[in-house]
Amino acid sequence: MAKSWYPVIDYLSCIECGTCVNFCPHGVYDKDKAPSPVVVSPERCIDHCHGCGNKCPVGAIAYVGDDTGWIPPNGEKAETESAPCCCGEACENDAKVVLIQYLYLDLATCDRCIGADAVLEEVLLTISPALETAGYHTKLEKVEISSEELAKEYRFLASPTIRVNGQDICESVQENACGCCSEISGTDVTCRTFAYKGQTYEVPPKVMLAEQILKAALGGESSGCGCGDYALPENLRNFFAGKTAKDSCCCGGNCR
């Protein structure tokens, strides 16, 4: 039995259908209070069991100590699966899940990737509580695009890229020379810039990220998942080729 794992009920979302109480065979819930779900014996819950949460028709159950990335399903969508999309999720995302993807080339030495990552983390700390109050669950996924294969899988156009439910927060790709990624690959590389209110930034301003994430999450309109034709940009092709050559050189590429 678990000592630090047990269900927590979101009573604002709960419809008191009694499904979780009737489903649990371990006596975690007080059956005398059914259909209202009252956790009376949390110590009897099984570690990493999502049984009652998977049965909940409105996704009102979370778990203390859950580090698995599990997301509460909602209604009928818990019973169906869609084919995987280029954005790493199903195209028909749960309307209550806000998936933020951060796609980057390097988080060890690239000032641009490191800076955008820090701003994104700070923005999410600020806006996630408001989204959760409105019934939205935010999930941050970071993906290092370390090869041409991954770039093609994610239809990666420029580094860094921030997507919300599969949609790039930038309408177009704008870039300028990136000294850090040029040094990493031994080639001339350009990386993404962010345009906001007539200014161009190498690291996106916090207010821009907050606006774009909230707009994408709550706007209700989608331009599609972006699964159309894709060709690896020449800039990225040069980056990966140069990095591979530099990494395979016994002197780290300094002989050039």
Side-chain angles (χ1 to χ4, degrees):
M1 298 294 180
K3 294 183 179 179
S4 58
W5 175 281
Y6 52 88
V8 177
I9 312 302
D10 177 2
Y11 288 102
L12 292 177
S13 300
C14 178
I15 59 175
E16 296 192 348
C17 63
T19 300
C20 55
V21 181
N22 294 327
F23 171 81
C24 179
H26 308 296
V28 175
Y29 296 93
D30 187 349
K31 291 186 179 294
D32 292 335
K33 301 291 178 61
S36 181
V38 177
V39 177
V40 66
S41 300
E43 73 282 358
R44 300 187 66 176
C45 188
I46 303 298
D47 195 24
H48 288 85
C49 174
H50 294 106
C52 59
N54 287 329
K55 290 290 185 179
C56 179
V58 293
I61 299 176
Y63 295 85
V64 169
D66 195 345
D67 58 358
T68 66
W70 175 83
I71 297 173
N74 291 292
E76 295 180 359
K77 292 192 177 184
E79 300 174 4
T80 61
E81 294 184 359
S82 300
C85 166
C86 60
C87 61
E89 293 290 315
C91 293
E92 295 295 331
N93 287 302
D94 189 328
K96 290 294 187 179
V97 175
V98 181
L99 173 66
I100 297 100
Q101 289 178 305
Y102 184 63
L103 313 178
Y104 62 91
L105 288 177
D106 178 83
L107 271 184
T109 59
C110 178
D111 293 338
R112 202 171 305 197
C113 289
I114 294 170
D117 176 66
V119 172
L120 178 59
E121 291 272 11
E122 187 173 348
V123 166
L124 289 179
L125 281 175
T126 302
I127 68 174
S128 290
L131 284 168
E132 289 174 5
T133 299
Y136 291 83
H137 173 80
T138 57
K139 177 182 178 183
L140 175 61
E141 177 184 87
K142 298 183 183 182
V143 182
E144 179 183 2
I145 306 298
S146 57
S147 66
E148 286 192 17
E149 290 72 26
L150 271 176
K152 293 174 182 176
E153 178 182 343
Y154 282 89
R155 284 167 166 74
F156 187 60
L157 295 175
S159 180
T161 289
I162 300 170
R163 293 175 181 164
V164 181
N165 288 344
Q167 301 304 307
D168 196 324
I169 65 168
C170 298
E171 295 181 356
S172 61
V173 175
Q174 301 178 37
E175 298 177 295
N176 66 11
C178 178
C180 295
C181 287
S182 296
E183 177 65 24
I184 291 169
S185 65
T187 61
D188 292 331
V189 175
T190 57
C191 285
R192 178 166 244 158
T193 59
F194 300 84
Y196 183 69
K197 293 189 180 298
Q199 299 293 320
T200 299
Y201 302 86
E202 293 186 351
V203 174
K206 286 184 284 188
V207 64
M208 173 200 171
L209 280 192
E211 285 181 5
Q212 293 301 319
I213 291 173
L214 289 172
K215 179 181 178 181
L218 306 176
E221 294 184 0
S222 174
S223 59
C225 69
C227 292
D229 293 337
Y230 169 83
L232 181 71
E234 189 66 23
N235 177 58
L236 293 176
R237 191 183 305 278
N238 292 337
F239 172 83
F240 292 123
K243 187 174 184 296
T244 298
K246 189 172 182 179
D247 290 345
S248 63
C249 178
C250 61
C251 63
N254 296 321
C255 58
R256 295 184 178 184

